[in-house]
Amino acid sequence: MDRVALRGLKARGHHGVFPREREEGQTFIVDLVLGLDTRPAAAADDLTKTVHYGVVAEEVVGVVKGEPVDLIETLAERIAQQCLKHEGVEEVEVVVHKPDAPITVPFDDVTITITRSRA
């Protein structure tokens, strides 16, 4: 399976279990790896035979900006399901970063990584 990766998609969302997270929001960063067969697109040099990563990026940002959820696990699942709606995408790995998580000790990042497939 071939891979198309999008790294560092940023959007402000209002996800989290604490009222402050819901009210003020925070930046979330998303990395995606889409699994698909790119041979038909390459052979025909045809965008319609592959995934349009610009559209995927816009949709993922829309999910992050959309309806708030408590857990980044839920956010990652919603993103994965959105990606799998694209014809040809057989598998997706989603990493959601929450660099401003409400943690009381020094840290660099909090992430959740999930892999989902059509099968």
Side-chain angles (χ1 to χ4, degrees), residues 51-96:
V51 63
H52 190 310
Y53 51 78
V55 171
V56 172
E58 290 172 3
E59 292 172 351
V60 167
V61 166
V63 172
V64 174
K65 289 181 172 181
E67 180 184 349
V69 296
D70 288 344
L71 304 177
I72 59 173
E73 291 86 344
T74 306
L75 181 60
E77 185 67 34
R78 287 184 177 180
I79 291 168
Q81 294 309 315
Q82 181 63 45
C83 292
L84 289 171
K85 290 180 181 178
H86 288 268
E87 186 176 338
V89 175
E90 295 296 325
E91 180 180 276
V92 62
E93 179 183 274
V94 177
V95 181
V96 175

Side-chain angles (χ1 to χ4, degrees), residues 10-58:
K10 294 180 184 175
R12 189 158 188 85
H14 293 265
H15 311 289
V17 296
F18 298 112
R20 181 175 174 193
E21 294 178 293
R22 292 294 183 105
E23 293 164 9
E24 296 177 14
Q26 60 192 292
T27 299
F28 293 85
I29 302 166
V30 178
D31 301 323
L32 302 172
V33 179
L34 307 170
L36 65 153
D37 183 356
T38 63
R39 289 176 291 191
D45 197 27
D46 185 350
L47 177 61
T48 66
K49 297 182 185 286
T50 189
V51 63
H52 190 310
Y53 51 78
V55 171
V56 172
E58 290 172 3

Side-chain angles (χ1 to χ4, degrees), residues 89-119:
V89 175
E90 295 296 325
E91 180 180 276
V92 62
E93 179 183 274
V94 177
V95 181
V96 175
H97 301 256
K98 189 175 179 181
D100 299 320
I103 298 175
T104 61
V105 297
F107 74 103
D108 288 330
D109 199 5
V110 172
T111 66
I112 176 78
T113 303
I114 66 169
T115 302
R116 299 292 182 265
S117 64
R118 292 184 184 275

